[in-house]
Amino acid sequence: MKLSGKVALVTGGSSGIGLATASIMSAQGALVVIVGRDANKLNDALSVLGSDISPRALGVVADLSKIEDIERVMEEVAKHHGRIDVLMVNAGTSECPPIRETDEAAFDAIVGLNFKGAFFTVVRAIPLLSNNASVILTGSASAEIGRLGDPLYAATKAAVRSLARTFANDEALTAKKIRFNVLSPGPVKTPLTKAAYEQAEVDAYVSAAVPLKRWADPMEIAKAALFLASDDSSYMTGSVLAVDGGLAQV
């Protein structure tokens, strides 16, 4: 029980990597709060977590591109638990139009959730972060490589990596021994990527580009998140943990 009694807040927790991470953290003893934009998906996720028979899981519907929603999430966590021991900043989207078709609305939508949302989630969580808390920011292998087709997504994930460095070196946060690390997945089969991995040409591209020749399962990423959340990674901060099948490594 690596997280016994700890409070874990997982944004983007209603499916994919977020739900897998919330599940494994709950199984390891954490009191889990998950955040998602879709109430129906959030309720389904809570059923998976067993909230109908256990008080371990709490769900909050919120759009984390909006600061007022982020503040409401923190108010709910404060009301129910009073602190955050593990914060996984995972909410994000990878839906980008081609670079020459990107308008201001599309730009604002992805930057608003992936970067602005991540920044203000951390900032608004600071008063609740306990001593020795672990903050995990979900990055991406695409931040490390030149990737055609979704440059805004890659850029926002590069920004998240920069944020981790900055927060990890903040004197007020280091005084509380709060750690900040980036979890950097490669291609993962999630509801968000379903339209991609079901296309034969995309699946063939992934098989050719990833040294391990396959997509990851969300639970493979969640196990790495558990490592970063627990004391097993107690001497890690400002780091990137790549779980990408070798995509950005070789």
Side-chain angles (χ1 to χ4, degrees), residues 30-50:
L31 302 168
V32 176
V33 181
I34 59 173
V35 181
R37 288 190 286 189
D38 187 302
N40 291 328
K41 290 180 180 178
L42 199 64
N43 286 332
D44 290 343
L46 289 171
S47 296
V48 171
L49 294 173

Side-chain angles (χ1 to χ4, degrees), residues 144-165:
E144 307 295 331
I145 55 180
R147 181 177 179 181
L148 298 176
D150 51 3
L152 279 182
Y153 175 74
T156 58
K157 292 305 183 178
V160 164
R161 197 280 174 266
S162 180
L163 282 182
R165 284 192 172 111

Side-chain angles (χ1 to χ4, degrees), residues 1-6 8 24-25 28-31 86 226 229-230:
M1 302 292 282
K2 294 178 182 291
L3 302 179
S4 181
K6 292 186 180 295
I24 200 170
M25 287 183 178
Q28 289 292 321
L31 302 168
V86 178
L226 175 63
S230 74

Side-chain angles (χ1 to χ4, degrees), residues 1-11 18 21-35 46 49-51 53-60 76-88 130 134 226 229:
M1 302 292 282
K2 294 178 182 291
L3 302 179
S4 181
K6 292 186 180 295
V7 177
L9 171 60
V10 180
T11 69
T21 299
S23 297
I24 200 170
M25 287 183 178
S26 180
Q28 289 292 321
L31 302 168
V32 176
V33 181
I34 59 173
V35 181
L46 289 171
L49 294 173
S51 62
I53 58 173
S54 168
R56 286 193 174 278
L58 170 69
V60 183
E76 286 295 310
V77 176
K79 179 173 70 175
H80 288 273
H81 298 301
R83 71 181 195 280
I84 298 171
D85 301 306
V86 178
L87 172 61
M88 185 172 184
S130 59
S134 173
L226 175 63

